[in-house]
Amino acid sequence: MNAPIFIGLMSGTSLDSIDAVAVRFEPTFELIASHSEPIPAAIHAATLALFNPGDNEIERVGRLDLALAELFATAVENLIKQHSLKRSNIAAIGSHGQTIRHRPNAHFTLQIGDPNLIAERTGITTVADFRRRDMAAGGQGAPLVPAFHSALFRQPEQNRILVNIGGMSNLTILDADLDKPVLGYDTGPGNVLMDSWIMQHQQKSYDRDGQWAATGTVIPQLLQTMLALPYFSETPPKSTGREQFNHHWIEQQVAALETQPLPKDVQATLLELTARSIADAINNHQLNNVQVFLCGGGSYNQQLKARLATLLAPNYLGTTTDLNLNPDWVEAAAFAWLAYRTLNHQSGNEPGVTGAAGYRPLGAIYWGE
Ligand SMILES: Nc1ncnc2c1ncn2[C@@H]1O[C@H](COP(=O)(O)OP(=O)(O)O)[C@@H](O)[C@H]1O
Ligand SMILES: [Mg+2]
């Protein structure tokens, strides 16, 4: 008999696509299928518009909540169809939802994409709203992937650090000493600043391999003022989002310069800021002989990766491909795992990461057929 399949659904701050995976956790972890569902332009624009305060938000959130849920259900149906998965083998969907506001200091975070509708359309039990229980227990509600990283990648011979470079970047520290707690937090921007700058200046959704950034020169003054942002020196637990790192913030910093810079030099500086904020965070922990593994879309940015390799030397820098999991699917797999945990009455958070008062079962269950 086959062990149950869990589906993970992830839509991150980048809004590049909806990631869907089908995985098994027993007897060991196995990635069975994956699918990337494109986000239609209208949904993309409506979501982007809700990242920041604006008029008539309740009405717009209500409509988008349903439109995203339909899209999530479509992603699941396409995953099932393309890989001929047997529906009766699927135990549950873990749906992260789309974050449209994350304000940990005000103790609230909002992910939308109505799980009632996902369960209704697919007939599959859906677990969702993972972050708010951790917040209710005093945590940041984020990042949640470290517990999964720990379950999958921790081992006693080697200090390991996982860095997920999505729209934002978060890291997980897996000490070789298994008695040490799992640590992790959001380091700051991932791709989000580079994406928004190249969109404005070249109408491209991202800077492939950091090629445009590589043609520019880092502006030291801009880099210094950006690195002076208090978020980077705050002690964890901490988490962030587009509320902090967005296009407006770049423009403010650029406007404060004495002479107006070339756009490509700003791009080079944003790439350097991204690399520095990640590497500084890692180097702060002063772990010897650590292996660093990247995942998320930013792991494909060769220029960024080269800078990180330099800043982290002599430590090994690779991607989760080295650990037999494609960097594109780690986060979605994590939400499948969180659903698996919840259905088994197990906790999903890492209190040492989020700052919650303790381990908690995460999410709510919307039963399928
Ligand atoms: N070849 C590449 N070069 C540079 N950046 C890339 C490349 N491939 C993907 N990305 C970046 O990865 C982002 C998507 O990463 P992802 O992990 O899906 O983030 P999120 O979780 O926020 O959706 C894209 O917006 C883009 O910036
Ligand atoms: Mg994505």
Side-chain angles (χ1 to χ4, degrees):
M1 220 199 72
N2 278 334
I5 292 172
F6 286 80
I7 289 177
L9 280 178
M10 180 69 208
S11 179
T13 42
S14 299
L15 292 178
D16 55 317
S17 63
I18 290 153
D19 305 330
V21 296
V23 293
R24 268 196 197 99
F25 299 104
E26 293 160 9
T28 54
F29 175 80
E30 182 191 353
L31 177 67
I32 298 163
S34 58
H35 168 69
S36 182
E37 184 72 32
I39 302 176
I43 292 183
H44 189 278
T47 310
L48 209 53
L50 279 168
F51 283 148
N52 295 299
D55 289 338
N56 200 18
E57 286 186 347
I58 292 177
E59 186 77 13
R60 290 190 287 133
V61 168
R63 288 172 192 274
L64 190 61
D65 189 35
L66 298 179
L68 280 168
E70 295 283 6
L71 194 57
F72 293 156
T74 301
V76 170
E77 293 302 335
N78 285 333
L79 179 75
I80 289 174
K81 213 181 309 164
Q82 285 169 26
H83 298 277
S84 304
L85 300 177
K86 237 177 109 184
R87 211 172 280 259
S88 58
N89 288 341
I90 302 171
I93 297 166
S95 177
H96 173 265
Q98 177 65 54
T99 298
I100 53 170
R101 215 61 66 78
H102 181 67
R103 295 209 188 279
N105 296 338
H107 310 290
F108 92 84
T109 187
L110 183 55
Q111 286 76 40
I112 61 170
D114 183 10
N116 293 288
L117 202 143
I118 302 171
E120 186 64 27
R121 291 289 181 271
T122 62
I124 301 169
T125 296
T126 301
V127 189
D129 192 14
F130 291 98
R131 299 192 185 275
R132 295 199 300 165
R133 179 63 184 271
D134 181 84
M135 270 200 169
Q140 295 273 314
L144 293 181
V145 288
F148 173 68
H149 291 162
S150 174
L152 216 61
F153 301 131
R154 192 167 193 181
Q155 46 86 54
E157 299 90 40
Q158 180 71 54
N159 293 318
R160 287 178 165 178
I161 293 182
L162 275 289
V163 186
N164 174 42
I165 309 178
M168 303 298 147
S169 290
N170 58 270
L171 59 75
T172 303
I173 296 170
L174 302 173
D175 201 295
D177 177 353
L178 302 186
D179 292 333
K180 296 252 177 78
V182 177
L183 300 179
Y185 51 91
D186 288 353
T187 58
N191 303 293
V192 70
L193 300 177
M194 296 182 285
D195 282 2
S196 91
W197 192 253
I198 199 169
M199 177 51 81
Q200 187 194 344
H201 292 276
Q202 302 203 342
Q203 291 73 51
K204 290 179 185 158
S205 58
Y206 67 97
D207 184 10
R208 182 176 288 270
D209 295 336
Q211 283 171 4
W212 187 41
T215 66
T217 308
V218 174
I219 306 160
Q221 192 196 342
L222 182 60
L223 180 65
Q224 286 318 314
T225 53
M226 285 181 154
L227 281 172
L229 184 79
Y231 184 82
F232 294 122
S233 46
E234 275 168 23
T235 50
K238 59 179 180 176
S239 58
T240 190
R242 286 197 189 240
E243 296 78 10
Q244 172 93 74
F245 297 103
N246 54 44
H247 199 76
H248 178 67
W249 182 69
I250 306 174
E251 288 190 319
Q252 274 181 324
Q253 310 293 312
V254 168
L257 295 171
E258 282 145 29
T259 52
Q260 281 315 287
L262 295 172
K264 64 178 183 179
D265 292 346
V266 174
Q267 188 75 359
T269 308
L270 294 174
L271 185 143
E272 184 66 14
L273 172 74
T274 306
R276 273 287 303 277
S277 53
I278 294 169
D280 289 355
I282 291 173
N283 289 331
N284 256 336
H285 290 276
Q286 297 184 314
L287 280 169
N288 287 325
N289 190 19
V290 59
Q291 294 182 330
V292 180
F293 302 97
L294 305 180
C295 60
S299 66
Y300 295 104
N301 185 327
Q302 293 310 315
Q303 183 71 12
L304 179 65
K305 208 176 155 201
R307 280 301 295 147
L308 280 170
T310 303
L311 293 166
L312 294 171
N315 296 306
Y316 175 80
L317 179 70
T319 72
T320 55
T321 304
D322 302 336
L323 306 172
N324 294 318
L325 185 51
N326 181 315
D328 288 327
W329 309 120
V330 179
E331 271 220 296
F335 283 88
W337 183 80
L338 286 170
Y340 164 74
R341 296 282 295 182
T342 300
L343 285 190
N344 285 301
H345 306 264
Q346 290 171 310
S347 64
N349 62 339
E350 273 295 344
V353 171
T354 63
Y359 289 98
R360 295 289 186 272
L362 303 182
I365 302 171
Y366 300 76
W367 296 105
E369 275 158 17

